[in-house]
Amino acid sequence: MKAIQIKEENLSLWKNKNFLLLWGGNVISSLGLQMYTIAIPLLIYEMSQSAIAMSAMRAVEFLPNIFIGMIAGVLVDRINRKKMMQCTSLIQFISIFAIIVLLLVNHLALWHLYIFGFILSSAGYTFGNANHSIIPQIVAKEQLTSANAKLSFVNTIIQTAGPGLAGALLALVSFTSTLSVYLVCLLLLFFCVQNIQLPTVAKEKPKSKGFWQDMKEGIAALLQNKTLLTPTVTVLFVNLASSLIIGVLIFYVTDKLGATEMQIGLMFTISAIGGLLGASVVSQIRKRFGRGNIYTFCLLFDVVGVSCLIFAPSWWTVGIALGIRTFSTTISNIIYFTIRQEFTPNHLLGRVAGTSSMLMKLTLPFGLLLAGLWAEWLPIPILFAISAAIFLILFICLYIHPFRKLV
């Protein structure tokens, strides 16, 4: 049985049924998520006209990474990962359904969005952890970079077309109809996951010693893995710099640059093209350069992208500036995910992913709320300048750090 499974894992990824189902589920869920990502901030803006309310929603969506990160990791390692993905996709479906119903009966309030946004994000985060942890179970080790690149590539394609489509839908129909697309996508995702068959060998893992002990093992595994810990700490500060941008971006282009829903969608489409390029070239770049060097110099692209954002005079120039950042972020994410999958035993991967994700997201709620408060009284481009300075400092630190030559 093991020999058959190993043979299947070493097939071309496009002939691997389990990978195709995972890939297809990512296509569907990414498309639906674009509807939600564009619709919800604009819905909050229509309801409140407040930058604080918009950035608060983004903070709420990141809170699960902090509060349930390690707990989700333990659950992913303890429970069948396929069942976990099914359960969390169903929770997301119920959350979106509740928002749609409240919209239809005209009783939706901001606090409803915050509560269901938290639930949706919690389920989505846990689903993502299980999705990340399942990849080494269904593909060979030497295929991890390629598998992550293919998943990132298709997600970026959806991110390229999705915002424009979401903006067009919002211009033509209601928020309810746009969110209904996400509802259908979540249902299709559930059926994709249902047909995935995990190899029997993947169930061979040490017996649990208790919930807290499992959490401690995940923490210890991360702290002892210096190859993974360095980029994890780096992302902690990358997320701080990013949160100063994403917390006010839609408010900035809407309120200050006068962009319409359609233009916002097209702006994110332009931005996603950078990610598309990054996902398409990462495998070739990896053949020529070490992962440490690639990861380090991606930060230099971040400096350039955010610096351009400071002086962008219109929505489409903002899109170009974001595209430079998306190019580097896509490459660095693929490199990071591959390092985490390759250097972590699979029975610990859920916990290490949960612990590292929690650590990386600690600064996000603070940055998002700070950005919202800043935007109410102070010029937003100054925030972008602060963000660029953080990226530059991180690049210098990693350039002189041994990590650059380790992997």
Side-chain angles (χ1 to χ4, degrees):
M1 183 66 179
K2 290 183 181 180
I4 294 175
Q5 290 162 355
I6 292 172
K7 182 179 178 181
E8 181 180 350
E9 286 179 355
N10 284 288
L11 287 173
S12 164
L13 289 174
W14 298 125
K15 295 181 181 179
N16 185 326
K17 178 184 175 182
N18 289 320
F19 178 77
L20 285 175
L21 286 167
L22 195 68
W23 182 86
N26 273 268
V27 172
I28 294 166
S29 60
S30 292
L31 177 61
L33 185 60
Q34 293 306 307
M35 305 298 123
Y36 176 86
T37 301
I38 298 298
I40 291 299
L42 292 173
L43 177 59
I44 293 175
Y45 180 76
E46 183 177 288
M47 294 171 66
S48 67
Q49 305 288 312
S50 169
I52 295 177
M54 295 173 73
S55 61
M57 182 64 181
R58 297 306 302 268
V60 165
E61 291 172 341
F62 282 114
L63 285 177
N65 290 269
I66 298 174
F67 292 121
I68 71 166
M70 290 192 293
I71 296 174
V74 173
L75 293 175
V76 166
D77 283 342
R78 280 187 168 204
I79 302 172
N80 181 284
R81 288 165 180 170
K82 172 182 172 179
K83 293 180 180 178
M84 178 65 72
M85 293 168 73
Q86 287 180 295
C87 180
T88 50
S89 61
L90 186 60
I91 292 173
Q92 291 177 80
F93 178 90
I94 294 171
S95 299
I96 290 296
F97 182 76
I99 293 175
I100 291 173
V101 169
L102 288 170
L103 271 171
L104 287 173
V105 299
N106 200 30
H107 283 299
L108 185 68
L110 282 177
W111 67 269
H112 291 135
L113 289 176
Y114 293 149
I115 291 175
F116 286 115
F118 180 83
I119 295 172
L120 187 71
S121 182
S122 298
Y125 169 77
T126 307
F127 180 94
N129 188 316
N131 182 83
H132 175 73
S133 301
I134 216 174
I135 295 174
Q137 296 180 236
I138 61 177
V139 307
K141 181 178 179 181
E142 60 269 18
Q143 293 178 312
L144 285 174
T145 298
S146 178
N148 284 315
K150 285 178 170 58
L151 290 168
S152 180
F153 184 80
V154 71
N155 285 337
T156 308
I157 289 178
I158 300 301
Q159 289 170 14
T160 303
L165 178 60
L169 278 174
L170 285 171
L172 295 173
V173 297
S174 63
F175 287 107
T176 303
S177 299
T178 304
L179 291 174
S180 295
V181 175
Y182 190 22
L183 192 70
V184 174
C185 290
L186 287 169
L187 185 61
L188 294 174
L189 172 64
F190 177 85
F191 289 115
C192 282
V193 173
Q194 188 175 32
N195 287 290
I196 292 176
Q197 295 180 346
L198 293 185
T200 305
V201 69
K203 296 181 181 179
E204 298 175 2
K205 58 183 180 180
K207 292 183 179 180
S208 173
K209 301 177 182 178
F211 205 88
W212 173 239
Q213 183 63 33
D214 282 354
M215 292 177 64
K216 287 170 62 178
E217 287 181 359
I219 296 170
L222 174 62
L223 295 180
Q224 293 168 9
N225 187 345
K226 302 304 180 183
T227 303
L228 182 61
L229 185 60
T230 297
T232 299
V233 174
T234 301
V235 178
L236 173 70
F237 294 100
V238 165
N239 283 338
L240 173 62
S242 299
S243 65
L244 299 179
I245 299 171
I246 61 178
V248 297
L249 184 63
I250 291 182
F251 175 81
Y252 179 68
V253 296
T254 302
D255 195 72
K256 305 300 182 182
L257 301 183
T260 64
E261 289 91 344
M262 175 71 77
Q263 289 171 339
I264 291 172
L266 292 174
M267 178 188 75
F268 283 111
T269 296
I270 294 171
S271 169
I273 292 174
L276 195 63
L277 292 173
S280 64
V281 303
V282 64
S283 295
Q284 288 71 32
I285 295 175
R286 176 65 187 93
K287 293 176 182 178
R288 299 186 59 185
F289 304 100
R291 286 176 292 197
N293 270 315
I294 296 172
Y295 192 87
T296 299
F297 279 92
C298 280
L299 291 168
L300 197 56
F301 278 89
D302 288 328
V303 174
V304 174
V306 178
S307 297
C308 291
L309 188 61
I310 298 170
F311 305 103
S314 60
W315 64 267
W316 64 268
T317 52
V318 169
I320 293 173
L322 293 174
I324 298 172
R325 267 224 68 210
T326 309
F327 173 81
S328 64
T329 301
T330 300
I331 294 176
S332 61
N333 284 345
I334 292 171
I335 295 297
Y336 178 81
F337 292 153
T338 303
I339 291 174
R340 187 163 66 185
Q341 291 165 340
E342 184 176 330
F343 287 87
T344 306
N346 192 259
H347 72 278
L348 289 169
L349 187 53
R351 281 167 283 175
V352 170
T355 303
S356 59
S357 182
M358 183 204 71
L359 177 62
M360 291 186 297
K361 299 299 195 310
L362 284 175
T363 56
L364 272 169
F366 170 74
L368 290 168
L369 291 175
L370 174 64
L373 291 170
W374 184 290
E376 291 290 326
W377 295 288
L378 298 169
I380 292 177
I382 296 177
L383 272 180
F384 300 156
I386 295 172
S387 178
I390 295 173
F391 281 120
L392 180 59
I393 293 170
L394 290 173
F395 168 73
I396 295 171
C397 291
L398 271 195
Y399 187 82
I400 61 178
H401 194 279
F403 167 80
R404 190 165 66 89
K405 299 180 180 180
L406 281 180
V407 291

